[in-house]
Amino acid sequence: MSEKAAAAPVLKKAKDKNKVCFDRMLLLVALALMGISVVLISSASVMESLTRFNDPMYFLKRQLIYVIAALFLGLVCAAIPTGVWKKYNMACMFLTLVLLILVLIVGREVNEAKRWIHLGFINIQPAEVLKLCWILYFSSYTCRKIYEVQSRLSGFIKPMIFIAVISLMLLAQPDFGSLVVITCITFGILFVAGAGLLKYIATLTIVGVIGGILVMIQPYRMRRILSFLDPWEDQFGAGYQLTQSLMAFGRGGLTGEGLGNSIQKLGYLPEAHTDFVTAILGEEFGFIGMCAVILLEFIIVYKAIVISFNILRKAPLYQGYVAFGIGVWFCLQTVINIGAASGALPTKGLTLPLVSYGGSSLFVSIAAIAILLRIDFEWRNGSLKADLKESLQGKAS
């Protein structure tokens, strides 16, 4: 045997040892969005920080603490095998339901909405936790009941009943935006699991009718819809926030006014560092800056969908549905946030993932990214195994 041939196994082993076993681009994109978040919030929150707390860096300091804590949480979530999430998904969902009930009892009310549980330094928003826990739970349901979902109406109806219960809790806050996200995640996972088209048509018709009724019976929802259609008709009333946001985009143009040069953040645009941080992004960094952030968010969505399809092509695995659910969630929330800020969609109180100010949204988003990285890691290392016995039991039932 030649010296080169003898060294080949050693070289191959060393190469495999140095092989990257997770998606580095996904991690870098998430970190980049968090960095952009810190820069944007440092600019967008100055006036409100100064007015409310006499400290121009108040919200920036808090966001930096949130970022550090979120990174630590991400490391913990990335270290947990996905099988553990599958095993305890019902416990996670039960805890979330308890939080949804608690927020209605002891929740903090802001702008006529009771969505936050105040815990000293941080406000927990159960609706944000619900998004991730619902994905973990419903992915397990879909995996266990895959044949029922594909071939029986009951497999489609059961999750709709659960969604109806969750809807009552979310509408009591009220949080119509989170309800839309949860419903679309459910439909997305059912679609990729192979649920029939007729079920979709029937269910979407029912959901559309119910959604229309819910909009019409609440005056504030009707005002939002009408102000979205023509915000300039009542630009100092219901359409005020949207018109100020549109002015920000208009001032930004192609390249923006430059970091720190936003006018709308100076008390004109409410929620400039949270729901409408996109408007400040457009004003200070222009269309080019907007496209850059949208591209980064799209990369996360694309990576999640690719990871999901790589897994689901082999077998109906839990991890594949979780990855797909995370992709739908990030895509939908990005579209709704940017659409609301630009006037393309009705105003909804949804954050831009990894960018908007807030601890709950950031923690849950980072946890989702960490779980996605863990799924990709397990897939690359071949440690995902199809629980065919479980699937067969679902078929037999």
Side-chain angles (χ1 to χ4, degrees), residues 115-185:
R115 303 176 186 173
W116 298 269
I117 299 175
H118 184 60
L119 294 178
F121 182 76
I122 189 173
N123 293 317
I124 295 179
Q125 190 172 357
E128 292 293 334
V129 181
L130 173 65
K131 293 167 189 173
L132 180 57
C133 290
W134 176 253
I135 290 172
L136 296 175
Y137 170 79
F138 189 63
S139 296
S140 176
Y141 168 85
T142 306
C143 187
R144 287 183 287 108
K145 303 291 185 179
I146 183 64
Y147 290 101
E148 188 176 348
V149 167
Q150 292 175 346
S151 59
R152 298 180 187 174
L153 184 61
S154 59
F156 200 90
I157 295 299
K158 288 177 183 177
M160 295 302 110
I161 296 173
F162 204 169
I163 285 288
V165 174
I166 293 174
S167 300
L168 296 175
M169 297 181 183
L170 290 176
L171 292 174
Q173 297 182 16
D175 191 349
F176 194 68
S178 293
L179 175 57
V180 171
V181 173
I182 294 295
T183 304
C184 290
I185 288 171

